[in-house]
Amino acid sequence: MIARIWRGFAFPEKAEEYAKHLQTAVLPDLRQIEGFQGVSLLRQDSAEAVEFIVLTFWESMEAIHKFAGENAEVAVVAPAAQGLFREYEVTVKHFEVVLNTR
């Protein structure tokens, strides 16, 4: 299993909107991709921004390419989500999951 990790800093007043966007607009599309295995959304609030870390889990890099295209290291941030963030990473990291007790 491969974990795809992305990070963004949402405007505090837009944080709930991003969580809703991920759940209602992105997740249904991800579930249609063969090899998608789930998502976790991590949140940490501060006065300046709300940091989100999005972990998506995939069967293989081949499955990730179905979502991200040829250059899998480029972040996929929908135009509808871009305005919710003060800043966000334009690249992602991929890690092989070697232990998952969940």
Side-chain angles (χ1 to χ4, degrees):
M1 179 171 27
I2 307 293
R4 179 179 169 91
I5 303 170
W6 174 82
R7 185 170 71 154
F9 298 86
F11 295 106
E13 65 276 10
K14 305 267 185 170
E16 291 301 322
E17 192 175 340
Y18 175 68
K20 183 177 179 181
H21 167 79
L22 182 66
Q23 189 172 21
T24 61
V26 178
L27 190 54
D29 290 341
L30 293 177
R31 287 184 171 139
Q32 300 301 311
I33 301 171
E34 185 177 342
F36 172 71
Q37 297 187 337
V39 62
S40 292
L41 179 63
L42 310 179
R43 175 182 173 149
Q44 182 180 60
D45 292 51
S46 72
E48 300 82 36
V50 176
E51 181 178 0
F52 284 109
I53 297 176
V54 181
L55 302 159
T56 54
F57 299 96
W58 302 86
E59 182 178 282
S60 64
M61 285 303 297
E62 180 181 322
I64 291 170
H65 286 292
K66 292 176 188 174
F67 165 66
E70 187 176 319
N71 189 352
E73 282 69 38
V74 173
V76 177
V77 184
Q82 291 176 10
L84 306 177
F85 288 92
R86 185 184 74 189
E87 64 181 285
Y88 56 85
E89 294 179 344
V90 296
T91 60
V92 300
K93 291 186 178 181
H94 298 99
F95 290 85
E96 180 181 353
V97 177
V98 295
L99 177 65
N100 182 2
T101 63
R102 190 172 167 207

